[in-house]
Every structure is written in C-alpha cells, then in structure tokens.
Amino acid sequence: MATQTDSASTGSTPPADRPPVPARRGRSRTGGSLLTALTWIIAIGFFSPVLWMVLTSFKQESAAASNPPTFFFAPTLDQYRAVLDAGAGTYFVNSMIATGVSTILVVIMAVPASYALSIRPVKKTQDVLFFFISTRMLPVVAVIMPIYVIAGQLKVLDNIWTLVVLYTSMNLPIAVWMMRSFFQEVPGEVLEAAQMDGAGLLKTLWRVLMPMVAPGLAATALICVIFAWNEFFFALNLTAARSATVPVFLVSQMTSEGLYLAQLSAASVLASLPVVLAGWVAQKQLVRGLSMGAVK
C-alpha cells in the first residue's frame, strides 16, 4: 500500500502508458529502405552507359547500329580482334610509358616540395602555392603554339619523352597541393620523437613520414595516372605515328567511312581497363588517402 501510494503521489507514468517505440523504428527502417533504393537507382543510371558500351563491344556492327537496340545477341570477340589488328598495342605502350614515367617523376618531386611547404614551411609559402596552382589555370590551347614551336626547334616532335615532360609539369602542381594536405595531418609529436631519437632529415622523411602518408601518396599517384592516361590535346597536336597515345587511337576509330560503334566500344573498353584495374588494386589506399583529415 505504501509503494502504491508513493507512486501515485509522485505522479510517475506507468510503463504501459509510454509511446510505442516499434512504430518509430518502423518509420526509420522504411526511410532507410527508400534511401537505399533511390541510391541504387541513381548508381544504376550512372553506370548504364558504361554497361551498354561493354555490351556493344561484344556485338556485330549490324546489331550495334540496329534501331530499336538489340538486347539479345550472340557475343563475339571480333571487335577486339579488329582493334588489336589495327595496331592498338603501340598506342597502349606509348600511353604506359608516358603515364608511368611522368607519374614516377611527379611523386619524386612532389614529396620533398610538399614536405617543405607543410612541415618545413619557407617564406611566402602561400605565394609559392598560388604559383603552383596558377599554372593549372592557364588554358592548354593558349600554350600549344609556343610548345609546338619549341619542340619543333629542338626536333622532339612525335617523341614520347616530350609527352613525359609535359605530363609531369601538368600533374606536379596538383600533386604538391594534395601531398601538402596529407603531410599537414601528421602529428608534430611524431617529428619531435624522431628528432629526439637522432633521425636526420632524410631518415625522418622516408622512414617515419612516408609510411604514415602512404595512402595519400597512393591516391595522388592514381589521380596523376588518370590525368596522364586520359590527356588528349597535347598527344593529338604533338605526336603523329610513332608516339601517339590511346586517346588519339580512339579518335582514329571514327573514320570518314562511318562510325563503327561496336569496334569503337571495344577500343573504349580496352582504353578504360588499365585505369579501372589500377583503381581496383589501390582502392583501399585510395579511400584512406582521400579521407585523410576528414575525421579528427
């Protein structure tokens, strides 16, 4: 009786009178399901052109150009054989050389530069950073004529090493900006501990800092690979038969005789495959690198 009287006097609400919690959970689950379904629809919408390109690459030209589109067909590798017979291997080798060498050079130069601008800043650091990024603001078409004249005077037109130099200078500012942000995320206590242990500058950089910013370095290198692999304007205007790259080869598939959709799709799939494989191999490092600094 005393317990009932005390509960009545305090005016506490019995547990049975509380609002039902399962109803709220049901609404949140419904909202989450709708959001998931909407996300899948958007993702499929963005991916559908890529899927259609892959399917078209396995069609005959008659099926690829049919109207209405052909959804059921006998797959064939004839278009891939035609692309390889057209000399695509030379273009791929040129792209791999220009992309790989330029990316290595960018990483070698961007690491010490970004270290100096972040952990060991120099005077007028912001001016230096603005100078780096301002080189990317200049339209490429505005510099193609002097570059063409200089390359002609030096007799390095249609030379793969000309593209290596241009791709390195094109990607270096972006790499410096990205690597600088990654170096700034390194705690100062780590550097102090390395100095107390007697580590010099090079040892601190390569054995202490580089393992910590390795995900960011992988993300930076992959972005440089994508930019260099997809570059078209310099390759089109400064190369011919010997040093042309994959984007130039794709344009060559559009001839005056007509547009061969199936063969062009096969060439596009082959051109996209190296970058996709590189992103798939480095996906863990890429996600960690792009998310560095997002959560403190």
Side-chain angles (χ1 to χ4, degrees):
M1 290 295 294
T3 304
Q4 294 179 357
T5 305
D6 293 341
S7 61
S9 61
T10 55
S12 60
T13 305
D17 296 338
R18 294 178 181 176
V21 177
R24 295 181 180 179
R25 293 180 179 177
R27 293 175 184 176
S28 61
R29 290 177 181 177
T30 303
S33 301
L34 292 176
L35 182 60
T36 302
L38 181 61
T39 303
W40 274 104
I41 292 174
I42 295 175
I44 293 173
F46 278 103
F47 182 71
S48 57
V50 179
L51 178 61
W52 186 253
M53 179 185 70
V54 175
L55 293 177
T56 304
S57 66
F58 292 100
K59 295 181 180 179
Q60 297 290 350
E61 291 293 346
S62 57
S66 63
N67 191 12
T70 303
F71 293 96
F72 300 99
F73 57 92
T76 178
L77 296 176
D78 292 344
Q79 310 307 326
Y80 290 94
R81 296 191 188 98
V83 169
L84 296 177
D85 293 340
T90 303
Y91 296 90
F92 274 85
V93 171
N94 291 335
S95 284
M96 289 180 181
I97 294 174
T99 301
V101 176
S102 65
T103 301
I104 293 174
L105 292 176
V106 166
V107 170
I108 291 175
M109 290 186 288
V111 168
S114 56
Y115 174 84
L117 294 172
S118 57
I119 297 178
R120 302 293 183 187
V122 297
K123 293 182 179 180
K124 297 184 179 180
T125 299
Q126 296 301 323
D127 295 340
V128 175
L129 290 172
F130 178 77
F131 170 76
F132 274 122
I133 203 64
S134 64
T135 59
R136 293 290 299 173
M137 300 177 185
L138 186 66
V140 180
V141 69
V143 299
I144 187 60
M145 184 57 68
I147 290 177
Y148 186 88
V149 172
I150 294 173
Q153 293 292 330
L154 296 177
K155 301 185 184 305
V156 291
L157 287 174
D158 198 16
N159 191 315
I160 192 63
W161 300 109
T162 303
L163 295 182
V164 169
V165 173
L166 292 174
Y167 291 172
T168 302
S169 60
M170 177 183 69
N171 289 327
L172 184 58
I174 298 176
V176 170
W177 271 76
M178 292 185 63
M179 289 303 302
R180 177 177 178 268
S181 64
F182 298 141
F183 275 121
Q184 286 181 328
E185 297 300 324
V186 177
E189 292 79 4
V190 175
L191 299 178
E192 295 177 359
Q195 292 177 356
M196 292 179 63
D197 292 339
L201 176 61
L202 293 179
K203 190 173 182 180
T204 301
L205 180 60
W206 295 110
R207 294 194 176 183
V208 178
L209 294 179
M210 291 307 297
M212 299 182 66
V213 299
L217 183 62
T220 303
L222 183 58
I223 289 177
C224 292
V225 166
I226 294 173
F227 285 166
W229 185 269
N230 294 333
E231 202 283 322
F232 173 70
F233 193 78
F234 285 139
L236 178 65
N237 291 279
L238 300 177
T239 63
R242 294 181 302 172
S243 303
T245 56
V246 170
V248 179
F249 174 74
L250 293 179
V251 175
S252 67
Q253 299 301 300
M254 296 181 288
T255 63
S256 58
E257 300 175 357
L259 183 62
Y260 296 94
L261 294 178
Q263 187 171 338
L264 181 60
S265 297
S268 300
V269 171
L270 291 177
S272 305
L273 198 58
V275 177
V276 173
L277 291 177
W280 179 73
V281 171
Q283 59 179 334
K284 292 183 179 179
Q285 299 293 330
L286 180 62
V287 172
R288 288 179 57 193
L290 293 179
S291 60
M292 286 182 67
V295 179
K296 292 290 185 180

